[in-house]
Amino acid sequence: MHILQVSPRIPYPLHDGGAIGIYNITAGLLRAGHRVTMLAINTPKHHQPADVLAHLGPNFRLVTVDVDTTARPLKALWNLLFSRRPYNIARFINSDVIGVLVPLIQTESFDVIQYEGTYVAWYHEWLDSEDLTPERAVSILRAHNIEYVIWERLAQGEKNLAKRQYLNQLAARLRRFEKEYLWCFDGVAAITKEDIVRLRELGCPEPIALVPAAVEMASFQPDPSIKPQPRTIFMIGSLNWLPNLEGLEWLLREVWPALHAELPDLELHVAGVAPPAHLLVPRHDNVFIHGFVESAAAFMRQYELMLVPLLSGGGMRVKIIEGMALGKGILSTSIGAEGIEVRDGHDIIRRDGAAAWQQTLRDYYHDRLPVAAIGGTAAITAAAVYANDRVTERFEALYARVGAGRAVQAG
């Protein structure tokens, strides 16, 4: 089949979950023998040259449109006062994208048009309203996140009243937008079972298929020759994504001070793009902020226990799946592990609250936590459920369910 992916960014380099989530879909579909064209909004935040994905081979083509999606306070205020569209979404709506998308679908024969998330869902509704959606192509929404849930949870944890009110209003507008735009797709690929429940609550029609995040297993294999440093814990994730930053600051504020006073040899290593300046000041508490690292796998292999202290967020944490594939024991909050097919004490350690985290880290420090056994089981789970080829099969099953490729087969 020929598949068009409409993406809110160029998914490269593979330094964050957003890029990995989209890129692995593309790579899996190409490996399964399909042709893929990607129309990607080239944003200032993730700007890349037009040939950055040339390594994907001759069955892949990247078409880019430069759009300035930079958040600006005055535009946000204007949007709040005079527009029904959430500002998060409005920044990605641009006539230049339409000017490229319309000729593309009129001159190419696509079997599937897949919209990678809420930020580009508007384009499909607009095509439908203008009667421009090709009859041959089925439309799929890949729900990487239910966006309103992220902002709703951020609002719950916000102490500043004005910020909390703004975040609640944004969450309500996102919920209204997502409910309004779900109906027009032929199928939806949800990333977790929890998100399927939320989609149905929003009135999303069937079919809704469970298609989890995927990992390229070859890139995340345990290396027996590398022995992680003892009594080391680590966190990795983009620090310009608010839920990651919120979770790290909770860890440093509520968990770490008392723990460091009790266990001064325990080290915490943090990697992630764009750490804010206040995290980069010199520290004397065995917290090491590494910032951006070129290889997530190489960073994770150096340390023993992985931490996921998320208090908000939605969808699925790709970094957890990568850590599982590497055979890492992982300590996560319930929200951090949401949507991942794991069991507490079997292939993950799930705890909530500062006291529970402190006790679990004490147990780890004193060798009372079976980190190696849990990590070994996690690697088996990752290979069985989240290997990219298996996830690609789920996409293909959804495409077949909504009729993609039937015209080709009939011909």
Side-chain angles (χ1 to χ4, degrees):
M1 291 186 291
H2 191 183
I3 297 161
L4 173 64
Q5 282 181 284
V6 182
S7 174
R9 61 176 293 185
I10 296 177
Y12 206 81
L14 304 179
H15 292 154
D16 60 82
I20 294 165
I22 298 172
Y23 179 93
N24 284 352
I25 294 170
T26 309
L29 291 170
L30 290 167
R31 194 160 52 239
H34 305 291
R35 287 189 298 144
V36 178
T37 296
M38 178 181 289
L39 172 59
I41 295 174
N42 209 359
T43 68
K45 183 177 179 180
H46 301 293
H47 201 275
Q48 296 294 324
D51 61 350
V52 70
L53 295 176
H55 62 273
L56 287 173
N59 285 334
F60 176 78
R61 178 172 52 140
L62 176 63
V63 180
T64 67
V65 184
D66 283 5
V67 176
D68 186 358
T69 58
T70 306
R72 304 186 190 281
L74 288 178
K75 287 188 176 181
L77 178 61
W78 185 95
N79 172 272
L80 188 64
L81 295 174
F82 300 109
S83 175
R84 291 185 69 251
R85 292 192 199 112
Y87 184 54
N88 301 41
I89 306 297
R91 292 185 293 122
F92 288 82
I93 297 174
N94 188 281
S95 60
D96 290 343
V97 178
I98 293 173
V100 174
L101 176 60
V102 171
L104 192 61
I105 63 174
Q106 289 178 336
T107 57
E108 302 271 351
S109 294
F110 295 108
D111 299 287
V112 177
I113 303 178
Q114 181 158 305
Y115 297 83
E116 298 291 342
T118 302
Y119 291 138
V120 291
W122 178 89
Y123 290 101
H124 177 60
E125 195 277 340
W126 182 86
L127 288 173
D128 266 7
S129 69
E130 298 293 319
D131 200 24
L132 290 171
T133 302
E135 290 185 10
R136 168 195 175 95
V138 300
S139 61
I140 299 293
L141 174 67
R142 172 50 158 174
H144 292 273
N145 291 298
I146 310 301
E147 290 294 328
Y148 85 84
V149 173
I150 297 174
W151 298 94
E152 196 172 70
R153 286 174 169 173
L154 282 169
Q156 289 169 1
E158 178 55 59
K159 301 292 192 295
N160 182 287
L161 179 59
K163 286 184 180 179
R164 185 164 69 248
Q165 288 177 333
Y166 175 77
L167 290 172
N168 274 322
Q169 189 169 34
L170 179 58
R173 299 178 87 197
L174 280 165
R175 189 181 191 281
R176 185 167 59 245
F177 178 89
E178 288 179 305
K179 184 172 184 177
E180 181 180 349
Y181 280 83
L182 287 171
W183 65 270
C184 61
F185 292 92
D186 295 315
V188 176
I191 207 165
T192 69
K193 291 177 181 177
E194 290 84 351
D195 280 355
I196 288 178
V197 172
R198 296 178 184 117
L199 287 163
R200 287 176 175 150
E201 288 173 349
L202 288 171
C204 180
E206 299 290 346
I208 310 171
L210 176 61
V211 186
V215 168
E216 288 288 351
M217 299 299 294
S219 300
F220 290 88
Q221 291 296 307
D223 187 342
S225 69
I226 299 176
K227 300 298 181 185
Q229 301 171 32
R231 294 177 173 173
T232 55
I233 58 180
F234 71 94
M235 174 182 169
I236 182 169
S238 298
L239 295 175
N240 56 4
W241 192 52
L242 286 178
N244 280 342
L245 184 59
E246 176 193 43
L248 174 58
E249 292 185 332
W250 170 81
L251 177 68
L252 294 177
R253 183 181 65 249
E254 303 293 337
V255 177
W256 190 254
L259 200 66
H260 173 63
E262 181 182 341
L263 309 172
D265 293 336
L266 185 65
E267 293 182 2
L268 169 61
H269 294 263
V270 179
V273 67
H278 71 270
L279 290 179
L280 297 176
V281 298
R283 306 184 66 101
H284 305 284
D285 57 356
N286 268 7
V287 175
F288 302 91
I289 307 295
H290 296 259
F292 168 76
V293 293
E294 187 63 42
S295 169
F299 174 81
M300 289 193 275
R301 288 189 183 105
Q302 296 178 69
Y303 311 110
E304 280 194 324
L305 180 66
M306 180 175 176
L307 307 184
V308 186
L310 283 194
L311 307 176
S312 59
M316 180 183 292
R317 262 56 57 197
V318 175
K319 283 290 181 284
I320 287 186
I321 308 303
E322 293 176 345
M324 291 171 62
L326 284 168
K328 291 294 173 183
I330 300 170
L331 168 61
S332 175
T333 59
S334 295
I335 286 178
E338 187 177 82
I340 300 175
E341 296 293 327
V342 287
R343 288 184 286 128
D344 179 36
H346 179 68
D347 40 19
I348 202 166
I349 305 145
R350 192 160 32 205
R351 300 287 186 273
D352 292 304
W357 269 60
Q358 287 168 341
Q359 185 56 52
T360 302
L361 291 171
R362 286 189 198 99
D363 290 341
Y364 157 70
Y365 185 89
H366 293 296
D367 296 322
R368 297 192 296 259
L369 200 66
V371 173
I374 289 172
T377 308
I380 295 170
T381 301
V385 180
Y386 299 108
N388 202 11
D389 291 348
R390 292 182 178 274
V391 174
T392 299
E393 290 171 358
R394 297 196 185 205
F395 274 110
E396 292 177 312
L398 176 59
Y399 299 160
R401 186 176 173 187
V402 297
R406 288 180 183 169
V408 175
Q409 292 164 11

